[in-house]
Amino acid sequence: MHIDILTLFPEMFDGVLNHSIMKRAQDKGAFSCQTINFREYTTNKHNKVDDYPYGGGAGLVLTPQPIFDAIEAIRPEGHEKTRVILMCPQGEPYTQAKAEELSKEDQLIFICGHYEGYDERIRQELVTDEISIGDYVLTGGELGAMVVMDSVVRLLPDVLGNEQSASEDSFSSGLLEHPHYTRPAEFRGQHVPDVLLSGNHAKIAEWRHYESLKRTFMRRPDLLEQRELTDQEQKWVHKWKKS
């Protein structure tokens, strides 16, 4: 996969791209990335990329010309269907399912804006996906793009040391992840559940499923509304509702 990031502040991505999973993924050749300061594409004699909104109002709006020219320069000819992602509080709420969908693409282009917003023609003509990482407003789209990139890159083949890790993450199965324990078996009077020390893999899998469903029921019951529960899961949920 190749990722292009259109931003006025490319240096913001240095830390994210040069550490941890993101760096290792690049070293493995799982993905490549370039940050592009779209100010370099402006034809404005004062090097401006924003202007006052028609009709008045507070703030400044990103002009279409630099964004259009930058995308046309980096998107290969004949690849008009390349996913162009606009980080925007008006976009669809970001989910693990969306991360899995994007991880199957060969190229992603992120547009990170600042100021009051974008000229609407950018949305209409260039953008394929508008994504929001939450119902709040950030100074710019850079932090949101970092979140999406991280969640997508970790799903690429051979990025994680254990391929099962991604599939067992919270939300990948539609449930929150089960509790985890490690050594020592007893710490300050708190003990690891006996089943995890039993060596009985079937019982361990059942315990993890039970705890995953219970944690989802207690913390994010809205997720269960989207899930078709098995007979056993229904029995467990019924028990918790009664308790």
Side-chain angles (χ1 to χ4, degrees), residues 171 173-177 209-230 232-241:
F171 306 111
S173 66
L175 302 174
L176 300 184
E177 198 170 10
H209 184 192
Y210 177 91
E211 293 295 332
S212 179
L213 187 71
K214 184 178 180 180
R215 181 160 287 188
T216 306
F217 173 79
M218 299 298 293
R219 301 184 181 187
R220 289 291 305 276
D222 57 297
L223 295 176
L224 297 184
E225 296 174 4
Q226 309 166 32
R227 181 182 178 87
E228 186 174 343
L229 300 177
T230 65
Q232 181 59 69
E233 288 174 336
Q234 290 181 40
K235 290 177 182 177
W236 288 337
V237 169
H238 180 68
K239 179 182 73 171
W240 299 325
K241 286 181 177 178

Side-chain angles (χ1 to χ4, degrees), residues 58-73:
L60 297 168
V61 176
L62 286 176
T63 58
Q65 178 271 315
I67 302 289
F68 270 74
D69 284 5
I71 288 182
E72 288 168 359

